[in-house]
Amino acid sequence: MVSVSHWVSKLLADEPFLQEALSRKIVNYGALGMELRPKIERELGHEIKISAIAMALHRYAEKQRLVRKVPGFELHSEIMLRT
């Protein structure tokens, strides 16, 4: 049986920017749930509560933080001025 958490993880697998935002804890789960709700409802064929999607997002983010760390960008640069 396909569940809400299955579709949340499937939708997020195609969105690397959302995965990074979730790993940095800068995403509002409720707002993202409202954005994903129509796609998930279309796939499952019935109405889904936003709180269920938000909880699936929260659990997905926690699992991703434990499994792998998103590598940060290390910027080492110099600025040289010549006149």
Side-chain angles (χ1 to χ4, degrees), residues 10 36 39-41 43 52-53 63 65-66 72 74:
K10 188 172 182 177
L36 296 178
K39 294 176 187 176
I40 295 172
E41 286 180 343
E43 294 296 329
I53 300 170
K63 185 171 68 173
R65 274 188 224 113
L66 293 176
E74 294 182 22

Side-chain angles (χ1 to χ4, degrees), residues 7-33:
W7 278 106
V8 165
S9 62
K10 188 172 182 177
L11 290 172
L12 290 177
D14 298 334
E15 301 288 338
F17 293 117
L18 286 179
Q19 290 177 0
E20 182 177 355
L22 285 171
S23 70
R24 291 185 179 192
K25 299 181 183 182
I26 57 175
V27 173
N28 181 339
Y29 298 128
L32 183 57

Side-chain angles (χ1 to χ4, degrees), residues 15-82:
E15 301 288 338
F17 293 117
L18 286 179
Q19 290 177 0
E20 182 177 355
L22 285 171
S23 70
R24 291 185 179 192
K25 299 181 183 182
I26 57 175
V27 173
N28 181 339
Y29 298 128
L32 183 57
M34 286 192 291
E35 292 292 319
L36 296 178
R37 183 179 183 186
K39 294 176 187 176
I40 295 172
E41 286 180 343
R42 192 174 331 119
E43 294 296 329
L44 292 178
H46 56 86
E47 189 174 334
I48 305 295
K49 292 183 181 180
I50 294 173
S51 60
I53 300 170
M55 183 54 69
L57 286 167
H58 176 72
R59 289 179 179 155
Y60 178 85
E62 287 298 317
K63 185 171 68 173
Q64 290 302 103
R65 274 188 224 113
L66 293 176
V67 171
R68 69 177 169 96
K69 287 282 195 179
V70 175
F73 296 103
E74 294 182 22
L75 298 175
H76 301 286
S77 63
E78 290 183 25
I79 298 176
M80 296 179 71
L81 269 169
R82 295 185 184 181

